[in-house]
Amino acid sequence: MPPVAGRAAGDPDRADGPPGRPEVCVLGLGLIGGSLLRAAAAADRTVWGWNRSAEAVREAAEAGYDVSGDLPAVLRRAAAAQALIVIAVPLPAVDGIAAAIALHAPHCPITDVVSVKQPVADALATHGLDAHYVGGHPMAGTAQSGWAAGDGALFDGAVWVVAADDGADPDVWTRVAVLAEDCGSVVVPAGSAEHDAAVARISHLPHVLAEALAVAGAGDQLALSLAAGSFRDGTRVAATDPLLVRAMCEGNADALVAALDETLALLTTARDALAAGDGIADLAGRGHVARREYEHTRRSRIDGLQPGVPGWIEQLRDAGRAGGVWSCPDGTDLPDGGLG
Amino acid sequence: MPPVAGRAAGDPDRADGPPGRPEVCVLGLGLIGGSLLRAAAAADRTVWGWNRSAEAVREAAEAGYDVSGDLPAVLRRAAAAQALIVIAVPLPAVDGIAAAIALHAPHCPITDVVSVKQPVADALATHGLDAHYVGGHPMAGTAQSGWAAGDGALFDGAVWVVAADDGADPDVWTRVAVLAEDCGSVVVPAGSAEHDAAVARISHLPHVLAEALAVAGAGDQLALSLAAGSFRDGTRVAATDPLLVRAMCEGNADALVAALDETLALLTTARDALAAGDGIADLAGRGHVARREYEHTRRSRIDGLQPGVPGWIEQLRDAGRAGGVWSCPDGTDLPDGGLG
């Protein structure tokens, strides 16, 4: 198998599972991490995990999964196997996990499933782990949390963003993307900062608007009595655990503030026009066009782009911006062996 | 049958169908009026209608309904039958219809199905028609419009607000409420101004927020590619015809501006807290509580309240504010005959 252009070949004598499919070490077995453990196992990946909570470890072990509550031991195992480490803890816990990885498994490929990307990248860089890190974000979830809420089918058909940042290691990138595909997702490449700006618009902003709408409606019992479909749908995600909403929104504060400023400007203009008797033709027309555009959004397949060829990361970002989905071409020699 | 307290009995020799169930004259056969015509006919009410568009008249006639494009003739027929007139035209057309009613059928009971109540009440008062007018608003609809989009089951289980304003005629009130019940709806009494403030919060505000969210998301192709459930549900009603959104929102501008001001204050506070690094615990917590409150909203039956007894209209308003639903008690002698 030829080495990927621009990369030193790994050690061909190392046994780490099928080509491009290293063992997977999941740190954190909540809704997302626990679902990933199940999904990877169902895809015949060699996967094991760690969780801080002894109860979740017991439940996962009883369900037949290879799990432990001993973080140093799990990380030493990952180092020995050159496993792909998946950080699946909430953003505030990432720094502590990164410190442990730097101590016990500093040369492993690393990804994560946290809903914001730049703060995770920054935390890993602080611990000197950026060379082998490629962030990820499966755009899937429910209003539930914890191991018991996990579901091996959670990622089926979902978008899984794989970070396409300058300097990314193409072997790690491919391993992360192949894991996402093995879990049933479609891979959209995006720069970390672009990802954070995009999810601020289409995930965090909707949550904030839903909270505000729920509060504005609840001030009035008669209003709640009259509420029908538009209020029901517009407030649906306000049923989410407020701690999860805070973690998402506060972890992406800068991008969310920018999206909120744009939205506040739109709403203030509409408010002033209504108050002046001028109506809301502009907002209603633009909103309708925008919703139609969303309904007609189509994905395209990114063809013939091999991670590691010159300019690959910019090309991936460009393709992701245009709605492209990366998939590992059939017959591709996946990178195997250790990292250079 | 005893006359309702405080009302002179009508002419007992007039034949106008079952007690309390006068013939129904629907003016305007779009989505709501056309659905009402079908629903009332299905409930064995004697019902006929008028529409300005010859094509809708032809389609409705071909479907077997008693319809006409001759407004003066339809109104003279309503006057002769003392029919309950239902104004089912868009708000901008109400004034012209009221002028025609004042000319040809000034003594008929009148209701309407327009989505705002105070402007309709004001228009009818201008034409001297307020004495026999009781407004209505069935909280049902689709993103479609026109006769062909109508559906006799549209009002099944929906809330139908019947206006409870000082000076309302109890006989007319009962006739309107019974028509709403015959169409399958539950009757919520509310003052016109309170109704308008409530629907600003739970119908018009959600539409404006959906439009703004759609615009904020559509500025970025990557964002649309990543959009999942929260964006989909939060923008659903932005798919509505912008002309319908404008008609609703602009017809209720004052109440909507008040609801928007409250929402803008909530969003600005959250935005500033995020920018200052203080997070959104307050909004996320309040929004979650509010959504739960909405999910647990229950209706209660308003028992033993006979329209026309002293204080009935205040009692209806109070009961409606508390989530009460009026229904015609079994065995009640419904008022029949003409109006006093």
Side-chain angles (χ1 to χ4, degrees), chain A residues 207-220 223-224 231-232 234-239, chain B residues 201-202 205-206 209 262-263 266 283-294:
Chain A
H207 277 84
V208 172
L209 294 181
E211 308 284 8
L213 177 59
V215 173
D220 185 330
L224 289 185
F231 186 80
R232 181 192 64 227
T235 60
R236 184 182 61 82
V237 294
Chain B
R201 289 172 183 276
I202 52 79
L205 177 62
L209 294 182
E262 191 175 315
T263 307
L266 288 167
L283 181 62
R286 289 174 66 194
H288 186 254
V289 168
R291 168 71 192 192
R292 290 293 181 209
E293 186 182 339
Y294 159 69

mmCIF file of all heavy atoms in Angstrom, chain A residues 207-220 223-224 231-232 234-239, chain B residues 201-202 205-206 209 262-263 266 283-294:
data_model
loop_
_atom_site.group_PDB
_atom_site.id
_atom_site.type_symbol
_atom_site.label_atom_id
_atom_site.label_comp_id
_atom_site.label_asym_id
_atom_site.label_seq_id
_atom_site.Cartn_x
_atom_site.Cartn_y
_atom_site.Cartn_z
ATOM 1 N N HIS A 207 -32.574 27.681 19.649
ATOM 2 C CA HIS A 207 -32.852 27.401 21.060
ATOM 3 C C HIS A 207 -33.155 28.688 21.827
ATOM 4 O O HIS A 207 -34.103 28.751 22.607
ATOM 5 C CB HIS A 207 -31.673 26.663 21.701
ATOM 6 C CG HIS A 207 -31.693 25.179 21.460
ATOM 7 N ND1 HIS A 207 -31.187 24.593 20.325
ATOM 8 C CD2 HIS A 207 -32.199 24.151 22.201
ATOM 9 C CE1 HIS A 207 -31.359 23.277 20.377
ATOM 10 N NE2 HIS A 207 -31.972 22.987 21.503
ATOM 11 N N VAL A 208 -32.364 29.729 21.591
ATOM 12 C CA VAL A 208 -32.590 30.985 22.317
ATOM 13 C C VAL A 208 -33.940 31.595 21.929
ATOM 14 O O VAL A 208 -34.701 32.061 22.791
ATOM 15 C CB VAL A 208 -31.435 31.970 22.041
ATOM 16 C CG1 VAL A 208 -31.755 33.343 22.614
ATOM 17 C CG2 VAL A 208 -30.128 31.447 22.636
ATOM 18 N N LEU A 209 -34.273 31.560 20.640
ATOM 19 C CA LEU A 209 -35.562 32.115 20.211
ATOM 20 C C LEU A 209 -36.719 31.312 20.809
ATOM 21 O O LEU A 209 -37.744 31.878 21.199
ATOM 22 C CB LEU A 209 -35.659 32.133 18.679
ATOM 23 C CG LEU A 209 -34.691 33.071 17.950
ATOM 24 C CD1 LEU A 209 -34.927 33.005 16.441
ATOM 25 C CD2 LEU A 209 -34.841 34.518 18.431
ATOM 26 N N ALA A 210 -36.560 29.999 20.886
ATOM 27 C CA ALA A 210 -37.620 29.165 21.468
ATOM 28 C C ALA A 210 -37.830 29.491 22.944
ATOM 29 O O ALA A 210 -38.975 29.555 23.415
ATOM 30 C CB ALA A 210 -37.269 27.681 21.299
ATOM 31 N N GLU A 211 -36.742 29.715 23.670
ATOM 32 C CA GLU A 211 -36.872 30.069 25.090
ATOM 33 C C GLU A 211 -37.621 31.400 25.232
ATOM 34 O O GLU A 211 -38.523 31.547 26.063
ATOM 35 C CB GLU A 211 -35.490 30.210 25.750
ATOM 36 C CG GLU A 211 -34.532 29.043 25.576
ATOM 37 C CD GLU A 211 -34.836 27.834 26.439
ATOM 38 O OE1 GLU A 211 -35.897 27.797 27.092
ATOM 39 O OE2 GLU A 211 -33.997 26.906 26.461
ATOM 40 N N ALA A 212 -37.234 32.379 24.412
ATOM 41 C CA ALA A 212 -37.861 33.698 24.519
ATOM 42 C C ALA A 212 -39.341 33.630 24.137
ATOM 43 O O ALA A 212 -40.192 34.252 24.789
ATOM 44 C CB ALA A 212 -37.125 34.708 23.629
ATOM 45 N N LEU A 213 -39.653 32.871 23.107
ATOM 46 C CA LEU A 213 -41.051 32.732 22.692
ATOM 47 C C LEU A 213 -41.873 32.055 23.784
ATOM 48 O O LEU A 213 -43.010 32.459 24.067
ATOM 49 C CB LEU A 213 -41.131 31.925 21.387
ATOM 50 C CG LEU A 213 -42.527 31.638 20.848
ATOM 51 C CD1 LEU A 213 -43.299 32.933 20.580
ATOM 52 C CD2 LEU A 213 -42.447 30.802 19.562
ATOM 53 N N ALA A 214 -41.299 31.038 24.412
ATOM 54 C CA ALA A 214 -42.017 30.343 25.484
ATOM 55 C C ALA A 214 -42.314 31.300 26.631
ATOM 56 O O ALA A 214 -43.439 31.319 27.160
ATOM 57 C CB ALA A 214 -41.198 29.144 25.980
ATOM 58 N N VAL A 215 -41.338 32.128 26.982
ATOM 59 C CA VAL A 215 -41.547 33.082 28.077
ATOM 60 C C VAL A 215 -42.596 34.121 27.685
ATOM 61 O O VAL A 215 -43.490 34.447 28.468
ATOM 62 C CB VAL A 215 -40.215 33.772 28.454
ATOM 63 C CG1 VAL A 215 -40.462 34.885 29.466
ATOM 64 C CG2 VAL A 215 -39.227 32.761 29.014
ATOM 65 N N ALA A 216 -42.515 34.634 26.465
ATOM 66 C CA ALA A 216 -43.469 35.656 26.029
ATOM 67 C C ALA A 216 -44.895 35.102 26.005
ATOM 68 O O ALA A 216 -45.858 35.812 26.282
ATOM 69 C CB ALA A 216 -43.090 36.187 24.648
ATOM 70 N N GLY A 217 -45.045 33.831 25.681
ATOM 71 C CA GLY A 217 -46.376 33.236 25.649
ATOM 72 C C GLY A 217 -46.910 32.913 27.024
ATOM 73 O O GLY A 217 -48.100 33.071 27.302
ATOM 74 N N ALA A 218 -46.022 32.488 27.905
ATOM 75 C CA ALA A 218 -46.466 31.994 29.204
ATOM 76 C C ALA A 218 -46.909 33.102 30.131
ATOM 77 O O ALA A 218 -47.497 32.830 31.175
ATOM 78 C CB ALA A 218 -45.346 31.195 29.868
ATOM 79 N N GLY A 219 -46.652 34.352 29.761
ATOM 80 C CA GLY A 219 -47.077 35.439 30.630
ATOM 81 C C GLY A 219 -48.579 35.568 30.721
ATOM 82 O O GLY A 219 -49.099 36.372 31.479
ATOM 83 N N ASP A 220 -49.311 34.765 29.960
ATOM 84 C CA ASP A 220 -50.733 35.014 29.766
ATOM 85 C C ASP A 220 -51.454 33.666 29.640
ATOM 86 O O ASP A 220 -51.266 32.932 28.674
ATOM 87 C CB ASP A 220 -50.869 35.837 28.480
ATOM 88 C CG ASP A 220 -52.290 36.283 28.199
ATOM 89 O OD1 ASP A 220 -53.222 35.566 28.585
ATOM 90 O OD2 ASP A 220 -52.442 37.329 27.565
ATOM 91 N N ALA A 223 -53.437 33.229 26.511
ATOM 92 C CA ALA A 223 -52.596 32.946 25.348
ATOM 93 C C ALA A 223 -52.269 31.457 25.276
ATOM 94 O O ALA A 223 -52.379 30.841 24.213
ATOM 95 C CB ALA A 223 -51.309 33.779 25.401
ATOM 96 N N LEU A 224 -51.889 30.869 26.408
ATOM 97 C CA LEU A 224 -51.568 29.433 26.390
ATOM 98 C C LEU A 224 -52.783 28.617 25.994
ATOM 99 O O LEU A 224 -52.675 27.594 25.311
ATOM 100 C CB LEU A 224 -51.058 28.986 27.757
ATOM 101 C CG LEU A 224 -49.668 29.503 28.138
ATOM 102 C CD1 LEU A 224 -49.218 28.894 29.454
ATOM 103 C CD2 LEU A 224 -48.653 29.190 27.042
ATOM 104 N N PHE A 231 -47.033 28.130 17.854
ATOM 105 C CA PHE A 231 -46.384 28.244 19.176
ATOM 106 C C PHE A 231 -45.792 26.902 19.591
ATOM 107 O O PHE A 231 -44.681 26.844 20.138
ATOM 108 C CB PHE A 231 -47.409 28.722 20.209
ATOM 109 C CG PHE A 231 -46.815 29.001 21.567
ATOM 110 C CD1 PHE A 231 -46.147 30.186 21.820
ATOM 111 C CD2 PHE A 231 -46.937 28.077 22.591
ATOM 112 C CE1 PHE A 231 -45.597 30.447 23.071
ATOM 113 C CE2 PHE A 231 -46.391 28.331 23.841
ATOM 114 C CZ PHE A 231 -45.725 29.522 24.086
ATOM 115 N N ARG A 232 -46.538 25.824 19.333
ATOM 116 C CA ARG A 232 -46.047 24.493 19.720
ATOM 117 C C ARG A 232 -44.694 24.200 19.062
ATOM 118 O O ARG A 232 -43.730 23.823 19.733
ATOM 119 C CB ARG A 232 -47.073 23.433 19.291
ATOM 120 C CG ARG A 232 -46.684 22.005 19.659
ATOM 121 C CD ARG A 232 -47.594 21.005 18.955
ATOM 122 N NE ARG A 232 -47.424 21.091 17.504
ATOM 123 C CZ ARG A 232 -48.412 21.154 16.612
ATOM 124 N NH1 ARG A 232 -49.656 21.122 17.013
ATOM 125 N NH2 ARG A 232 -48.161 21.251 15.315
ATOM 126 N N GLY A 234 -42.667 26.353 17.524
ATOM 127 C CA GLY A 234 -41.677 27.391 17.788
ATOM 128 C C GLY A 234 -41.031 27.281 19.164
ATOM 129 O O GLY A 234 -39.966 27.858 19.397
ATOM 130 N N THR A 235 -41.664 26.562 20.088
ATOM 131 C CA THR A 235 -41.109 26.424 21.439
ATOM 132 C C THR A 235 -40.645 25.001 21.732
ATOM 133 O O THR A 235 -40.230 24.717 22.851
ATOM 134 C CB THR A 235 -42.143 26.810 22.515
ATOM 135 O OG1 THR A 235 -43.295 25.961 22.399
ATOM 136 C CG2 THR A 235 -42.570 28.256 22.382
ATOM 137 N N ARG A 236 -40.692 24.097 20.744
ATOM 138 C CA ARG A 236 -40.417 22.679 21.019
ATOM 139 C C ARG A 236 -39.087 22.478 21.747
ATOM 140 O O ARG A 236 -39.031 21.790 22.778
ATOM 141 C CB ARG A 236 -40.427 21.856 19.730
ATOM 142 C CG ARG A 236 -40.228 20.352 19.992
ATOM 143 C CD ARG A 236 -40.185 19.556 18.694
ATOM 144 N NE ARG A 236 -39.096 19.943 17.819
ATOM 145 C CZ ARG A 236 -37.830 19.522 17.936
ATOM 146 N NH1 ARG A 236 -37.508 18.680 18.894
ATOM 147 N NH2 ARG A 236 -36.907 19.928 17.090
ATOM 148 N N VAL A 237 -38.028 23.089 21.257
ATOM 149 C CA VAL A 237 -36.718 22.800 21.844
ATOM 150 C C VAL A 237 -36.513 23.483 23.197
ATOM 151 O O VAL A 237 -35.516 23.219 23.870
ATOM 152 C CB VAL A 237 -35.559 23.125 20.877
ATOM 153 C CG1 VAL A 237 -35.597 22.187 19.679
ATOM 154 C CG2 VAL A 237 -35.565 24.572 20.454
ATOM 155 N N ALA A 238 -37.459 24.333 23.609
ATOM 156 C CA ALA A 238 -37.375 24.876 24.975
ATOM 157 C C ALA A 238 -37.654 23.789 26.016
ATOM 158 O O ALA A 238 -37.419 23.992 27.204
ATOM 159 C CB ALA A 238 -38.350 26.041 25.156
ATOM 160 N N ALA A 239 -38.124 22.634 25.585
ATOM 161 C CA ALA A 239 -38.309 21.500 26.494
ATOM 162 C C ALA A 239 -36.980 20.826 26.847
ATOM 163 O O ALA A 239 -36.914 20.006 27.754
ATOM 164 C CB ALA A 239 -39.264 20.476 25.875
ATOM 165 N N ARG B 201 -49.086 37.042 20.882
ATOM 166 C CA ARG B 201 -48.036 36.280 21.552
ATOM 167 C C ARG B 201 -47.864 34.876 20.986
ATOM 168 O O ARG B 201 -46.741 34.403 20.829
ATOM 169 C CB ARG B 201 -48.366 36.131 23.040
ATOM 170 C CG ARG B 201 -48.242 37.390 23.816
ATOM 171 C CD ARG B 201 -48.769 37.204 25.238
ATOM 172 N NE ARG B 201 -48.696 38.459 25.950
ATOM 173 C CZ ARG B 201 -47.603 38.901 26.561
ATOM 174 N NH1 ARG B 201 -46.517 38.161 26.571
ATOM 175 N NH2 ARG B 201 -47.599 40.066 27.153
ATOM 176 N N ILE B 202 -48.972 34.202 20.705
ATOM 177 C CA ILE B 202 -48.851 32.772 20.412
ATOM 178 C C ILE B 202 -49.066 32.442 18.936
ATOM 179 O O ILE B 202 -48.946 31.285 18.556
ATOM 180 C CB ILE B 202 -49.785 31.916 21.297
ATOM 181 C CG1 ILE B 202 -51.226 32.411 21.257
ATOM 182 C CG2 ILE B 202 -49.290 31.921 22.743
ATOM 183 C CD1 ILE B 202 -52.002 32.010 20.072
ATOM 184 N N LEU B 205 -46.378 36.535 16.852
ATOM 185 C CA LEU B 205 -44.965 36.539 17.267
ATOM 186 C C LEU B 205 -44.207 35.300 16.755
ATOM 187 O O LEU B 205 -43.092 35.445 16.214
ATOM 188 C CB LEU B 205 -44.876 36.650 18.791
ATOM 189 C CG LEU B 205 -43.473 36.608 19.405
ATOM 190 C CD1 LEU B 205 -42.619 37.775 18.928
ATOM 191 C CD2 LEU B 205 -43.574 36.611 20.940
ATOM 192 N N PRO B 206 -44.746 34.086 16.893
ATOM 193 C CA PRO B 206 -44.031 32.925 16.332
ATOM 194 C C PRO B 206 -43.769 33.052 14.834
ATOM 195 O O PRO B 206 -42.721 32.621 14.357
ATOM 196 C CB PRO B 206 -44.974 31.750 16.616
ATOM 197 C CG PRO B 206 -45.816 32.182 17.756
ATOM 198 C CD PRO B 206 -45.924 33.680 17.679
ATOM 199 N N LEU B 209 -40.795 35.520 14.446
ATOM 200 C CA LEU B 209 -39.532 34.897 14.855
ATOM 201 C C LEU B 209 -39.089 33.850 13.833
ATOM 202 O O LEU B 209 -37.897 33.717 13.548
ATOM 203 C CB LEU B 209 -39.676 34.253 16.239
ATOM 204 C CG LEU B 209 -39.906 35.213 17.407
ATOM 205 C CD1 LEU B 209 -39.990 34.435 18.728
ATOM 206 C CD2 LEU B 209 -38.800 36.262 17.497
ATOM 207 N N GLU B 262 -41.413 42.975 24.273
ATOM 208 C CA GLU B 262 -41.084 42.095 25.400
ATOM 209 C C GLU B 262 -40.028 41.062 24.975
ATOM 210 O O GLU B 262 -39.069 40.788 25.707
ATOM 211 C CB GLU B 262 -42.366 41.396 25.857
ATOM 212 C CG GLU B 262 -42.257 40.657 27.153
ATOM 213 C CD GLU B 262 -43.621 40.095 27.567
ATOM 214 O OE1 GLU B 262 -44.639 40.817 27.482
ATOM 215 O OE2 GLU B 262 -43.655 38.921 27.967
ATOM 216 N N THR B 263 -40.204 40.517 23.780
ATOM 217 C CA THR B 263 -39.271 39.510 23.283
ATOM 218 C C THR B 263 -37.900 40.116 23.006
ATOM 219 O O THR B 263 -36.856 39.512 23.318
ATOM 220 C CB THR B 263 -39.843 38.877 21.998
ATOM 221 O OG1 THR B 263 -41.164 38.409 22.276
ATOM 222 C CG2 THR B 263 -38.992 37.720 21.527
ATOM 223 N N LEU B 266 -36.064 40.431 26.240
ATOM 224 C CA LEU B 266 -35.523 39.145 26.693
ATOM 225 C C LEU B 266 -34.264 38.779 25.907
ATOM 226 O O LEU B 266 -33.259 38.349 26.482
ATOM 227 C CB LEU B 266 -36.567 38.032 26.496
ATOM 228 C CG LEU B 266 -37.780 38.016 27.422
ATOM 229 C CD1 LEU B 266 -38.838 37.055 26.881
ATOM 230 C CD2 LEU B 266 -37.353 37.593 28.828
ATOM 231 N N LEU B 283 -32.658 32.970 31.090
ATOM 232 C CA LEU B 283 -33.577 32.731 29.973
ATOM 233 C C LEU B 283 -33.818 31.239 29.762
ATOM 234 O O LEU B 283 -34.959 30.808 29.548
ATOM 235 C CB LEU B 283 -33.033 33.371 28.691
ATOM 236 C CG LEU B 283 -33.924 33.194 27.455
ATOM 237 C CD1 LEU B 283 -35.286 33.861 27.664
ATOM 238 C CD2 LEU B 283 -33.241 33.766 26.216
ATOM 239 N N ALA B 284 -32.744 30.434 29.830
ATOM 240 C CA ALA B 284 -32.907 28.989 29.607
ATOM 241 C C ALA B 284 -33.807 28.384 30.678
ATOM 242 O O ALA B 284 -34.660 27.541 30.382
ATOM 243 C CB ALA B 284 -31.541 28.302 29.585
ATOM 244 N N GLY B 285 -33.635 28.828 31.906
ATOM 245 C CA GLY B 285 -34.473 28.298 32.986
ATOM 246 C C GLY B 285 -35.921 28.718 32.843
ATOM 247 O O GLY B 285 -36.845 27.891 32.935
ATOM 248 N N ARG B 286 -36.140 30.012 32.573
ATOM 249 C CA ARG B 286 -37.520 30.504 32.446
ATOM 250 C C ARG B 286 -38.208 29.904 31.227
ATOM 251 O O ARG B 286 -39.401 29.580 31.262
ATOM 252 C CB ARG B 286 -37.527 32.030 32.341
ATOM 253 C CG ARG B 286 -37.171 32.723 33.648
ATOM 254 C CD ARG B 286 -37.049 34.231 33.429
ATOM 255 N NE ARG B 286 -38.325 34.845 33.074
ATOM 256 C CZ ARG B 286 -38.437 36.081 32.580
ATOM 257 N NH1 ARG B 286 -37.365 36.827 32.371
ATOM 258 N NH2 ARG B 286 -39.628 36.577 32.282
ATOM 259 N N GLY B 287 -37.468 29.782 30.131
ATOM 260 C CA GLY B 287 -38.064 29.209 28.920
ATOM 261 C C GLY B 287 -38.488 27.764 29.128
ATOM 262 O O GLY B 287 -39.549 27.343 28.675
ATOM 263 N N HIS B 288 -37.666 27.013 29.833
ATOM 264 C CA HIS B 288 -37.978 25.612 30.092
ATOM 265 C C HIS B 288 -39.230 25.490 30.961
ATOM 266 O O HIS B 288 -40.141 24.700 30.662
ATOM 267 C CB HIS B 288 -36.782 24.947 30.775
ATOM 268 C CG HIS B 288 -36.932 23.484 30.968
ATOM 269 N ND1 HIS B 288 -37.194 22.909 32.187
ATOM 270 C CD2 HIS B 288 -36.892 22.451 30.090
ATOM 271 C CE1 HIS B 288 -37.284 21.601 32.052
ATOM 272 N NE2 HIS B 288 -37.099 21.293 30.788
ATOM 273 N N VAL B 289 -39.296 26.293 32.005
ATOM 274 C CA VAL B 289 -40.484 26.281 32.870
ATOM 275 C C VAL B 289 -41.733 26.661 32.066
ATOM 276 O O VAL B 289 -42.795 26.037 32.191
ATOM 277 C CB VAL B 289 -40.282 27.250 34.057
ATOM 278 C CG1 VAL B 289 -41.601 27.483 34.794
ATOM 279 C CG2 VAL B 289 -39.216 26.717 35.002
ATOM 280 N N ALA B 290 -41.589 27.665 31.203
ATOM 281 C CA ALA B 290 -42.728 28.140 30.433
ATOM 282 C C ALA B 290 -43.224 27.082 29.450
ATOM 283 O O ALA B 290 -44.429 26.881 29.281
ATOM 284 C CB ALA B 290 -42.343 29.419 29.684
ATOM 285 N N ARG B 291 -42.288 26.403 28.810
ATOM 286 C CA ARG B 291 -42.696 25.352 27.872
ATOM 287 C C ARG B 291 -43.409 24.223 28.623
ATOM 288 O O ARG B 291 -44.405 23.673 28.148
ATOM 289 C CB ARG B 291 -41.468 24.820 27.128
ATOM 290 C CG ARG B 291 -41.668 23.539 26.337
ATOM 291 C CD ARG B 291 -42.520 23.691 25.077
ATOM 292 N NE ARG B 291 -42.873 22.386 24.554
ATOM 293 C CZ ARG B 291 -43.413 22.141 23.358
ATOM 294 N NH1 ARG B 291 -43.672 23.136 22.545
ATOM 295 N NH2 ARG B 291 -43.705 20.931 22.975
ATOM 296 N N ARG B 292 -42.904 23.864 29.801
ATOM 297 C CA ARG B 292 -43.565 22.819 30.592
ATOM 298 C C ARG B 292 -44.973 23.264 30.989
ATOM 299 O O ARG B 292 -45.917 22.473 30.969
ATOM 300 C CB ARG B 292 -42.744 22.508 31.850
ATOM 301 C CG ARG B 292 -41.434 21.805 31.556
ATOM 302 C CD ARG B 292 -41.675 20.422 31.015
ATOM 303 N NE ARG B 292 -40.415 19.723 30.759
ATOM 304 C CZ ARG B 292 -40.258 18.795 29.828
ATOM 305 N NH1 ARG B 292 -41.253 18.449 29.039
ATOM 306 N NH2 ARG B 292 -39.102 18.194 29.668
ATOM 307 N N GLU B 293 -45.098 24.548 31.341
ATOM 308 C CA GLU B 293 -46.412 25.082 31.709
ATOM 309 C C GLU B 293 -47.372 24.945 30.530
ATOM 310 O O GLU B 293 -48.528 24.533 30.694
ATOM 311 C CB GLU B 293 -46.247 26.552 32.114
ATOM 312 C CG GLU B 293 -47.500 27.195 32.663
ATOM 313 C CD GLU B 293 -47.260 28.676 33.006
ATOM 314 O OE1 GLU B 293 -46.093 29.084 33.189
ATOM 315 O OE2 GLU B 293 -48.256 29.408 33.064
ATOM 316 N N TYR B 294 -46.885 25.283 29.347
ATOM 317 C CA TYR B 294 -47.713 25.146 28.145
ATOM 318 C C TYR B 294 -48.112 23.694 27.927
ATOM 319 O O TYR B 294 -49.274 23.380 27.649
ATOM 320 C CB TYR B 294 -46.944 25.685 26.942
ATOM 321 C CG TYR B 294 -47.435 25.184 25.602
ATOM 322 C CD1 TYR B 294 -48.675 25.581 25.110
ATOM 323 C CD2 TYR B 294 -46.658 24.316 24.838
ATOM 324 C CE1 TYR B 294 -49.129 25.113 23.888
ATOM 325 C CE2 TYR B 294 -47.095 23.854 23.619
ATOM 326 C CZ TYR B 294 -48.337 24.251 23.144
ATOM 327 O OH TYR B 294 -48.773 23.784 21.945
#
